[in-house]
């Protein structure tokens, strides 16, 4: 790149991508050396937290007068399942083929 300024396309605490370089965990690779890029997405399994929430709802409503339950009853019973769902994250991976070797990065 003769005289042109380097443009940053993406940056976070581990990865920086510019129009000339790809930097991850302290390693720098030239963009010209990258032959292919694949993105992988691994979504969390939310079946167990959903089942827990459904079980908690059934336990809370079985044989009770719902009008007598306060908001605190609902929160205390449902909170574990809701927290479990909220703490689950989708994981992204990038696989970069660098002319000589295959490099796998997890974000």
């Amino acid at each position: 790149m003769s005289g042109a300024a380097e443009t940053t396309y993406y940056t976070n605490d581990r990865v920086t991508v510019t129009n000339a370089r790809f930097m991850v965990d302290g390693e720098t690779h030239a963009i010209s050396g990258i032959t292919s890029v694949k993105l992988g997405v691994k979504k969390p399994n939310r079946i167990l937290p959903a089942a827990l929430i459904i079980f908690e709802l059934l336990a809370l409503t079985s044989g009770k007068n719902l009008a007598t339950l306060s908001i605190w009853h609902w929160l205390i019973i449902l909170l574990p399942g809701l927290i479990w769902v909220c703490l689950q994250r989708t994981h992204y991976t990038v696989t970069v083929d660098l002319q000589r070797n295959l490099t796998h990065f997890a974000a």
Side-chain angles (χ1 to χ4, degrees):
M1 294 191 44
S2 58
E6 194 168 353
T7 304
T8 301
Y9 296 118
Y10 176 78
T11 187
N12 70 13
D13 58 336
R14 294 181 55 208
V15 177
T16 301
V17 179
T18 71
N19 57 336
R21 299 181 288 167
F22 172 71
M23 296 162 280
V24 63
D25 293 336
E27 293 182 30
T28 302
H29 306 281
I31 291 292
S32 61
I34 296 175
T35 58
S36 70
V37 177
K38 295 177 188 165
L39 175 65
V41 178
K42 182 180 178 189
K43 294 186 177 188
N45 184 354
R46 292 197 168 106
I47 293 174
L48 288 176
L52 177 63
I53 291 171
I54 291 169
F55 175 76
E56 291 167 341
L57 282 171
L58 291 173
L60 183 67
T61 59
S62 63
K64 304 220 182 209
N65 183 358
L66 297 180
T68 62
L69 296 176
S70 71
I71 189 69
W72 297 110
H73 287 98
W74 289 97
L75 284 177
I76 290 169
I77 297 296
L78 295 177
L79 208 54
L82 294 174
I83 289 173
W84 191 3
V85 167
C86 292
L87 290 178
Q88 291 184 324
R89 296 181 51 202
T90 301
H91 295 278
Y92 299 93
T93 58
V94 177
T95 303
V96 179
D97 190 4
L98 299 168
Q99 288 182 347
R100 286 191 215 91
N101 60 350
L102 193 65
T103 308
H104 181 81
F105 303 106

